[in-house]
Amino acid sequence: PRLLSQFFFADERVVQVVAEINGLNAELDPQQYLVLLNQLHLSQAHLLAILERIMEECIPTQRHSRDYLVKFPEELLVDNLGNHMLFAAECLLAGTFLEVEEADRAQLRPQARNLLCSLELVRTMLREQSLSQPGSYPEPVRAVLVQFDRLFAEFELSYVSSLVAVKSPEEIYRQQEIIVLFCETVERALRLGYLTQEMIDGYEPLLMFTIPRLAIISGLLIYPEGPLSLERSPEQMSRVFSPFYNLLKKIRDLLRVLSAEELCLLERSLCAAE
């Protein structure tokens, strides 16, 4: 059950697969080469998962901040992101990585080299520790883990930033404004009886359509200074709404001529329509 013991055997598996790959002629047996590459990918992912648990156990208060993850597109936030970072670092050093521009590759290579060297040091020290005292983490072990965690985070941010446009602080704030608007919309809808708590607790599918519709009305009429404020230019709005700037203006103008009773009837109709 000890994490260091688990790390030792996971590391042994990585070493074994690498040795098999190095001893194989890929041109003569390409199918087996692909099989071994997949095994290497899986064994490295398992090793990194155990290493993550070790860091949470050993240096929980010294972990490098991962606040930058909110800048990443949601499709990148997957379970195997860390393993992809390691693979990218290896390819950068091998000169076989073509996803980024040459100028970016030149900047990323030193970071990739430092990261992989740090990982090798971590693997060596944890293997030695697992064979001597598998239940403790002396200060030298903690120090190399802190260094690896920092280098990994720095490379992850730099690498992803070279591939995609990460969100600016302004865009993150606009997204938070939208979250607040949706929360206030739900609270108002519950208060007015448009929705019930049972619908929310039961994940009623209709809510996927109802809440955004009500949020548009709330954003245009009830909270006009929020993320749907049309006093801003389209460039100042969230990318979720900016393409519909002119349409939102027309909707707002139509809503303004409705009486309170007509607005209530409209909102109830939007809650019932699919």
Side-chain angles (χ1 to χ4, degrees):
R2 291 172 177 166
L3 285 177
L4 280 176
S5 299
Q6 294 179 32
F7 182 88
F8 178 86
F9 288 108
D11 189 71
E12 281 280 282
R13 178 56 181 160
V14 172
V15 172
Q16 176 188 353
V17 176
V18 170
E20 292 181 23
I21 290 176
N22 291 337
L24 181 72
N25 189 323
E27 294 182 357
L28 295 179
D29 196 349
Q31 188 65 35
Q32 180 62 17
Y33 181 72
L34 292 176
V35 170
L36 289 176
L37 278 183
N38 183 59
Q39 291 180 6
L40 178 62
H41 177 80
L42 294 175
S43 59
Q44 285 181 330
H46 181 53
L47 183 71
L48 287 178
I50 297 175
L51 181 56
E52 177 69 22
R53 291 168 59 196
I54 288 175
M55 289 190 291
E56 282 298 312
E57 180 179 271
C58 179
I59 54 169
T61 61
Q62 297 172 276
R63 299 295 304 272
H64 193 83
S65 173
R66 294 303 197 278
D67 290 346
Y68 60 82
L69 289 174
V70 299
K71 298 181 178 181
F72 291 0
E74 292 182 4
E75 60 269 20
L76 291 184
L77 301 178
V78 293
D79 292 337
N80 64 344
L81 179 61
N83 200 40
H84 184 76
M85 293 300 108
L86 181 59
F87 179 73
E90 293 170 340
C91 291
L92 279 165
L93 285 192
T96 58
F97 199 74
L98 303 177
E99 288 188 26
V100 296
E101 299 294 332
E102 176 55 37
D104 292 323
R105 291 202 296 270
Q107 292 182 344
L108 287 170
R109 282 193 193 102
Q111 288 184 295
R113 183 179 298 106
N114 292 337
L115 172 61
L116 294 177
C117 289
S118 177
L119 177 59
E120 284 303 309
L121 181 58
V122 166
R123 289 174 62 184
T124 299
M125 294 194 69
L126 288 182
R127 283 173 65 93
E128 293 175 353
Q129 188 65 24
S130 67
L131 292 172
S132 57
Q133 293 178 300
S136 64
Y137 300 100
E139 184 55 37
V141 172
R142 295 174 183 271
V144 296
L145 287 173
V146 169
Q147 181 189 46
F148 170 74
D149 189 47
R150 175 181 61 80
L151 292 174
F152 196 101
E154 291 174 353
F155 177 77
E156 184 174 53
L157 176 58
S158 298
Y159 167 70
V160 173
S161 298
S162 70
L163 284 180
V164 298
V166 297
K167 300 171 187 172
S168 65
E170 292 76 17
E171 180 63 20
I172 294 172
Y173 179 75
R174 291 170 192 152
Q175 286 190 334
Q176 291 173 337
E177 281 189 316
I178 295 173
I179 293 172
V180 172
L181 172 63
F182 272 56
C183 291
E184 291 177 337
T185 296
V186 170
E187 181 181 355
R188 176 174 174 270
L190 288 171
R191 186 173 66 252
L192 296 177
Y194 297 154
L195 306 176
T196 65
Q197 190 62 48
E198 289 73 20
M199 295 172 65
I200 296 174
D201 294 340
Y203 301 103
E204 173 62 45
L206 185 61
L207 297 180
M208 295 175 61
F209 304 97
T210 298
I211 293 176
R213 290 167 177 168
L214 294 178
I216 290 174
I217 294 179
S218 295
L220 293 174
L221 290 185
I222 313 301
Y223 311 108
E225 297 181 357
L228 283 180
S229 173
L230 298 179
E231 301 304 317
R232 307 173 179 176
S233 66
E235 293 74 21
Q236 294 174 311
M237 298 179 70
S238 169
R239 285 179 283 182
V240 175
F241 296 116
S242 57
F244 310 103
Y245 185 82
N246 291 330
L247 178 60
L248 289 171
K249 268 191 167 183
K250 294 178 180 179
I251 294 174
R252 182 195 60 183
D253 294 341
L254 289 172
L255 292 174
R256 282 177 171 175
V257 303
L258 298 179
S259 65
E261 293 77 13
E262 290 171 331
L263 180 62
C264 178
L265 180 61
L266 172 62
E267 291 184 306
R268 289 191 178 279
S269 299
L270 292 177
C271 293
E274 296 188 11

